[in-house]
């Protein structure tokens, strides 16, 4: 009877805490894929039968689709259903909309419908500069340097000397510099 104290469950920082996000996003991912396969949403690109519609990274999602009005409405309906079912909320303040190949007025209209900031290339995501074309060393070098600084601090503490030599040889052999 009465109030009971919760003493178990997932807390922030718990190794299992990302798992519910991944499970919920898997449902969203499958639904997006199914909608593209059925032709309910048109993908942005179709190359040799391959239609990339989205990419997931933990709690981030990149959705690639044709920006006609029907696609926008269906996407917004899907995201609304996803939010209601999962309890997660799409942060439109943190979201960005990349629109290309259309007039400026159409770009603003799409951003208004999605209620997201319009963004342009080049842009930065997780320390990597995003821009059209092939990925170049200059775009990722800042991330590489950051990782090198982090590795210096803890690799020396965790690996024996012969293991460090093996790691250094492996890294040097695998780089294309």
């Amino acid at each position: 009877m009465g109030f009971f104290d919760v003493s178990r469950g997932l807390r922030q920082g718990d190794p299992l805490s990302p798992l519910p996000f991944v499970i919920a996003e898997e449902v969203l991912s499958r639904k997006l894929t199914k909608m593209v396969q059925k032709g309910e949403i048109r993908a942005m690109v179709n190359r040799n039968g391959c239609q990339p519609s989205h990419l997931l990274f933990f709690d981030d999602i990149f959705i690639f689709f044709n920006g006609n009005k029907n696609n926008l409405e269906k996407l917004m309906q899907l995201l609304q259903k996803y939010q209601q079912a999962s309890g997660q909320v799409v942060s439109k303040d943190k979201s960005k909309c990349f629109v290309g190949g259309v007039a400026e007025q159409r770009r603003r209209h799409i951003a208004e419908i999605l209620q997201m900031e319009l963004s342009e290339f080049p842009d930065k995501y997780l320390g990597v500069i995003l821009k059209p074309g092939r990925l170049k060393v200059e775009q990722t070098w800042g991330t590489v340097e950051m990782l090198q600084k982090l590795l210096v601090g803890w690799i020396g503490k965790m690996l024996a000397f012969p293991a460090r030599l093996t790691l250094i040889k492996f890294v040097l052999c695998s780089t294309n510099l």
Side-chain angles (χ1 to χ4, degrees), residues 32-60:
L32 278 168
T33 301
K34 191 180 290 186
M35 289 176 80
V36 169
Q37 289 172 346
K38 288 182 176 180
E40 295 174 17
I41 290 181
R42 287 191 359 226
M44 186 172 70
V45 185
N46 186 348
R47 295 271 164 88
N48 301 327
C50 180
Q51 298 176 315
S53 60
H54 62 284
L55 293 172
L56 294 171
F57 181 78
F58 186 57
D59 61 351
D60 292 342

Side-chain angles (χ1 to χ4, degrees), residues 83-96:
Q83 291 178 97
Q84 290 171 349
S86 69
Q88 295 183 26
V89 178
V90 174
S91 173
K92 294 186 179 179
D93 293 336
K94 295 180 183 178
S95 300
K96 294 181 182 179

